[in-house]
Amino acid sequence: MTMQVFKTIMAASVGMAMAMSPVLAAEKGSSGRQAQAKKQMEIPHCTRRIGTVAIVEPDNQWWREMSLGSPEAIIKLFVQQSGCFGIVNRGRSMASRNIERAMADSGELQSGSNLGKGQVKAADYFLQPDIVTANQNSGGNAIGGLLGGFMGGTLGALAGGISIKKKEANVTLSIVNARTTEEEAMTEGYFRKSDLSFGGGGGLGWMGGLAAVGGGGYQNTEIGQVIVLAYLDAYTKLVTQLGGLPDNAAAAAPKAK
């Protein structure tokens, strides 16, 4: 190999390396963005309990159109794993408790069962997961609409809905003071499938916990996973906004008469 040929090969190699460096940098940056996105998809953890919540299903039951279960299970998982709230069950568990109470009142339970008045823990807040509407949009195969409302104290338009075709979800999460009925916060959450680049369930171990709380198939479908992560976005924003709420919601509320 002549010196001239050697110099030509070296020059070409250096040129290729320089041309590839932006690509490598972009890939590195992409990895950084993925790591940041994955961090945002982790359930937040609170250092203190904000209060006790009862989860309220929206009336429109939009999830039935996609053969999914109630989003109550999604929020229940977030509440349990975040430690931000205690949770009281006002569904079938309350109905079963009322049956036990009726048997206690009629003298059917064993002596010393200690089931009576003044034992049910109060909900400090009502937490409602929702999308804006449940009207089918035939053009985009979407469920959604537009709602004007207060968001973080500022009047704005809350765009919500679920696009099955695009695999994206835009949801809302609101929290209402059980004593005053004041809406303490409403947040919007958004997620799309193109942001989910970590395999099934986004590589997030907690996603499998949905089955344990009756997740209704959310963890088993692409659109279900997208909806879960949209609610996680809304839930993270919500607990961040609620950092200034009182430690004792009962003491802070007007006295009952």
Side-chain angles (χ1 to χ4, degrees), residues 1-100:
M1 179 182 295
T2 65
M3 182 59 69
Q4 183 61 37
V5 173
F6 178 76
K7 289 181 177 180
T8 301
I9 294 174
M10 288 299 294
S13 299
V14 171
M16 290 177 62
M18 292 178 65
M20 290 175 63
S21 60
V23 176
L24 295 175
E27 290 178 354
K28 183 177 181 181
S30 177
S31 298
R33 286 194 296 272
Q34 287 186 359
Q36 182 180 7
K38 187 173 183 180
K39 180 65 176 176
Q40 292 171 345
M41 289 189 286
E42 295 293 344
I43 297 175
H45 293 277
C46 295
T47 57
R48 68 176 180 89
R49 280 194 174 186
I50 299 170
T52 301
V53 297
I55 301 172
V56 180
E57 287 186 351
D59 293 331
N60 52 39
Q61 297 190 344
W62 53 262
W63 54 90
R64 293 181 178 272
E65 297 190 36
M66 289 172 285
S67 299
L68 293 170
S70 167
E72 177 182 359
I74 301 173
I75 308 306
K76 184 177 181 180
L77 177 69
F78 295 162
V79 169
Q80 289 177 341
Q81 295 202 14
S82 68
C84 300
F85 301 97
I87 186 169
V88 292
N89 190 306
R90 293 295 189 255
R92 287 189 293 270
S93 293
M94 177 60 77
S96 297
R97 195 266 179 193
N98 289 340
I99 293 174
E100 294 296 306

Side-chain angles (χ1 to χ4, degrees), residues 2-256:
T2 65
M3 182 59 69
Q4 183 61 37
V5 173
F6 178 76
K7 289 181 177 180
T8 301
I9 294 174
M10 288 299 294
S13 299
V14 171
M16 290 177 62
M18 292 178 65
M20 290 175 63
S21 60
V23 176
L24 295 175
E27 290 178 354
K28 183 177 181 181
S30 177
S31 298
R33 286 194 296 272
Q34 287 186 359
Q36 182 180 7
K38 187 173 183 180
K39 180 65 176 176
Q40 292 171 345
M41 289 189 286
E42 295 293 344
I43 297 175
H45 293 277
C46 295
T47 57
R48 68 176 180 89
R49 280 194 174 186
I50 299 170
T52 301
V53 297
I55 301 172
V56 180
E57 287 186 351
D59 293 331
N60 52 39
Q61 297 190 344
W62 53 262
W63 54 90
R64 293 181 178 272
E65 297 190 36
M66 289 172 285
S67 299
L68 293 170
S70 167
E72 177 182 359
I74 301 173
I75 308 306
K76 184 177 181 180
L77 177 69
F78 295 162
V79 169
Q80 289 177 341
Q81 295 202 14
S82 68
C84 300
F85 301 97
I87 186 169
V88 292
N89 190 306
R90 293 295 189 255
R92 287 189 293 270
S93 293
M94 177 60 77
S96 297
R97 195 266 179 193
N98 289 340
I99 293 174
E100 294 296 306
R101 175 65 196 280
M103 287 192 293
D105 290 345
S106 64
E108 295 296 327
L109 296 186
Q110 297 177 355
S111 176
S113 294
N114 190 27
L115 185 68
K117 295 181 179 180
Q119 294 179 314
V120 176
K121 187 174 180 63
D124 297 314
Y125 305 100
F126 302 125
L127 191 56
Q128 179 168 310
D130 205 356
I131 61 172
V132 175
T133 72
N135 296 322
Q136 188 73 21
N137 181 333
S138 57
N141 192 21
I143 301 169
L146 191 66
L147 174 72
F150 284 95
M151 186 174 175
T154 304
L155 185 64
L158 299 182
I162 296 170
S163 173
I164 300 172
K165 183 177 180 180
K166 296 180 180 178
K167 299 294 190 297
E168 63 182 1
N170 202 326
V171 303
T172 61
L173 196 58
S174 64
I175 189 165
V176 174
N177 189 306
R179 296 172 178 83
T180 65
T181 70
E182 179 182 8
E183 186 173 80
E184 301 285 0
M186 174 182 280
T187 55
E188 181 183 3
Y190 174 79
F191 202 84
R192 59 186 176 184
K193 184 181 181 296
S194 59
D195 295 329
L196 188 63
S197 56
F198 307 101
L204 304 172
W206 57 260
M207 187 76 78
L210 280 169
V213 292
Y218 282 94
Q219 71 276 18
N220 298 326
T221 63
E222 288 182 340
I223 190 61
Q225 293 174 12
V226 166
I227 293 170
V228 171
L229 291 169
Y231 274 122
L232 177 60
D233 182 35
Y235 184 77
T236 301
K237 293 173 182 175
L238 186 78
V239 296
T240 300
Q241 286 190 23
L242 298 180
L245 286 182
D247 291 336
N248 188 334
K255 299 299 181 184

